Amino acid sequence: MSIDHAARRARIAPALGLHADEILVVGAGQPVPKPEVSEQHFPFVAHQEYYYLTGHAEAPGGIIAYDAKTREWTSFVPEVTEMERVWDGTEQLPGEFLSRFPAWLAARAGRKIAALGAPIVGVQSDDELSARIRENLKHARRPKENGEIEIMQRAAFATAEGYTAVQPFLSPGFSERRMQIELEAGFFRGGATTTGYGTIVGVGAQAAVFHGSPSPHRIAKAGDFILIDAGAEVERYVIDVTRTYIAGGSGTGFQRDLYMAVKTAQVRACAKCVSGTEWKDIHFGAAIDMMGSLVDMGVLKGNPTSLVEQEAHMLFFPHGIGHMVGLGVRDASGLEPGREKDPRPCLKSLRMDLILRPGYVVTVEPGLYLIPALINDPARREKYRDVVNWKLVEQHLGIGGVRIEDNLLVTDGAPINLTAAIPKL
Ligand code: GLY
Ligand code: MN
Ligand code: MN
């Protein structure tokens, strides 16, 4: 199923909230030259907002413009040179040549301009208007169209191929790098265009580093945690999956309990991804579930809800429950229209404050970690002196942590887990 961008623009335009005297311009962005090799550039990635409205992935400098008075969209595209045809095989995109954009703009002199996407040289935009229209566009594109879901299902298939390919390499002796190689090869064999973001593979203590890069570090022994957070990208749509494994098996004792605490909370949180639910409630629900498990394990003392009210969960679960995913790894996360960012410190890393609606695709990714920077902090030790079994925590410092992440499609009924085919322990 392909996406009809003209139909999408016609649908989106009224939702932007532009007044008739206002105009909108959305820039694709400019290629960034590599500093040391003048004729080479970093891979070009068209701005998400421009791509959403045009479907043009390769349009450096491209602009899509909208006149709210005439309700007409005009796409300005780069004129392909002979050199580009010869060296890069570039084909001409449909639309007006970019050289005609200054005249289009001049014909609308004096009108307020909302500028989205990447900055466009020579455009004097209104910052307040641009911010308002950006929020409106973001909200309008939150529910995914069927065509977008179909692409995400392909990305989910490719992601599952990668996670299958890595399975024989989850035992002592294999390095984080080797796991990355096998995983990403599986993505590409499964149809990925590229990886959705920098693949994360962490072994042992490194499993608690949220955005750690894979290194030559090897799995030392059976029982070590291995955390893999990676996903395939297909046609700019990204899947974002985390699985945590225990080298050489399914673990015992404290590690197994920690794993099951996260898994239980994750499964419950996934089931709550139904239309009308407040995202914050899913976040706090998972936090309370995991604190209950830590109380059962003897790590914490007290009532789980009260522990979350005291923000004690931030010692072990210092990130949010998830975010929107799709056109980019964070996609159109953010705030429900009319809301301000919730100032509570424990929500600093919650990337969205939305009411779920059909068509939203969200990640659900609770985790529990033993992070030295938090566990060894004297202020936290003092603040939570009586509610944490510090001796037990110290015994296990260095094991890393557990995160489990799936991508859920919200529907009119039960949520659909797009990444259910990737097994958990
Ligand atoms: N892969 C980064 C994240 O899970 O948000
Ligand atoms: Mn992730
Ligand atoms: Mn994520």
Side-chain angles (χ1 to χ4, degrees):
M1 186 185 303
S2 63
I3 292 171
D4 179 344
H5 289 87
R8 174 181 284 173
R9 287 194 295 269
R11 175 175 66 78
I12 290 289
L16 295 175
L18 285 157
H19 301 138
D21 58 335
E22 294 164 346
I23 59 176
L24 167 68
V25 294
V26 185
Q30 296 293 341
V32 179
K34 291 190 175 173
E36 74 283 13
V37 193
S38 58
E39 83 278 16
Q40 290 197 356
H41 294 82
F42 290 102
F44 178 74
V45 180
H47 193 286
Q48 189 185 52
E49 291 166 341
Y50 174 85
Y51 182 79
Y52 183 78
L53 292 168
T54 62
H56 299 331
E58 292 294 334
I63 300 167
I64 181 92
Y66 180 68
D67 185 327
K69 192 182 291 172
T70 59
R71 299 186 188 165
E72 268 176 350
W73 291 91
T74 310
S75 178
F76 296 94
V77 295
E79 184 172 1
V80 175
T81 63
E82 187 181 88
M83 286 286 277
E84 287 165 334
R85 285 184 212 277
V86 171
W87 286 80
D88 306 321
T90 311
E91 289 185 15
Q92 183 61 55
L93 288 166
E96 302 279 345
F97 289 144
L98 272 170
S99 52
R100 302 189 65 170
F101 177 67
W104 184 93
L105 201 58
R108 290 158 182 82
R111 293 170 63 186
K112 265 194 182 178
I113 305 173
L116 303 190
I120 303 168
V121 176
V123 169
Q124 303 284 320
S125 58
D126 182 303
D127 289 348
E128 210 175 295
L129 174 66
S130 302
R132 181 167 61 80
I133 304 304
R134 168 161 282 137
E135 283 306 304
N136 290 347
L137 172 60
K138 205 192 277 186
H139 194 61
R141 69 183 183 82
R142 280 179 176 137
K144 301 264 183 310
E145 299 162 8
N146 290 341
E148 295 176 285
I149 302 293
E150 189 262 338
I151 299 170
M152 290 194 74
Q153 283 167 331
R154 283 159 49 206
F157 173 83
T159 304
E161 291 290 288
Y163 275 90
T164 299
V166 80
Q167 296 304 311
F169 303 92
L170 301 175
S171 45
F174 291 113
S175 68
E176 294 170 352
R177 177 74 71 222
R178 179 71 186 271
M179 289 182 264
Q180 175 197 14
I181 291 166
E182 303 299 337
L183 183 84
E184 293 183 2
F187 289 172
F188 285 109
R189 287 195 189 98
T193 322
T194 181
T195 54
Y197 48 93
T199 292
I200 298 163
V201 182
V203 165
Q206 193 68 10
V209 179
F210 297 157
H211 288 165
S213 297
S215 78
H217 180 70
R218 291 170 194 270
I219 303 168
K221 58 183 190 312
D224 281 357
F225 275 136
I226 305 158
L227 185 147
I228 301 180
D229 182 345
E233 179 175 315
V234 171
E235 294 176 26
R236 289 290 302 265
Y237 283 82
V238 169
I239 285 288
D240 178 9
V241 169
T242 306
R243 292 290 182 265
T244 305
Y245 304 102
I246 299 176
S250 52
T252 54
F254 188 90
Q255 269 174 308
R256 180 75 190 166
D257 291 346
L258 198 69
Y259 182 89
M260 289 312 296
V262 176
K263 184 177 173 186
T264 305
Q266 203 260 357
V267 170
R268 277 168 56 88
C270 287
K272 290 182 191 167
C273 291
V274 295
S275 180
T277 304
E278 285 282 352
W279 188 242
K280 269 191 289 201
D281 290 346
I282 298 180
H283 173 77
F284 282 123
I288 291 167
D289 283 349
M290 291 192 292
M291 293 312 101
S293 296
L294 291 184
V295 169
D296 293 344
M297 290 166 66
V299 174
L300 289 172
K301 289 167 239 169
N303 172 282
T305 304
S306 148
L307 287 166
V308 170
E309 280 163 6
Q310 295 169 57
E311 303 198 332
H313 64 290
M314 295 293 285
L315 280 170
F316 305 101
F317 173 44
H319 59 73
I321 188 71
H323 49 86
M324 298 202 102
V325 63
L327 193 45
V329 69
R330 306 263 182 260
D331 202 0
S333 305
L335 302 175
E336 187 72 17
R339 281 190 191 169
E340 303 278 329
K341 173 88 180 152
D342 192 317
R344 280 177 278 179
C346 70
L347 293 175
K348 187 161 172 259
S349 299
L350 188 62
R351 297 183 192 275
M352 62 191 219
D353 181 359
L354 295 170
I355 302 167
L356 295 181
R357 294 183 178 81
Y360 285 18
V361 182
V362 294
T363 71
V364 175
E365 49 179 309
L368 289 171
Y369 317 84
L370 299 177
I371 301 172
L374 302 181
I375 301 298
N376 292 330
D377 170 42
R380 288 178 171 86
R381 289 259 178 163
E382 179 56 28
K383 182 171 178 192
Y384 299 113
R385 194 180 50 201
D386 299 328
V387 297
V388 176
N389 181 344
W390 291 106
K391 202 157 164 246
L392 184 60
V393 169
E394 273 164 24
Q395 269 170 25
H396 296 284
L397 201 56
I399 65 169
V402 179
R403 178 167 65 259
I404 302 172
E405 177 175 26
D406 281 303
N407 298 177
L408 276 291
L409 168 63
V410 181
T411 73
D412 285 321
I416 297 171
N417 187 342
L418 299 178
T419 51
I422 304 170
K424 298 166 190 158
L425 294 183

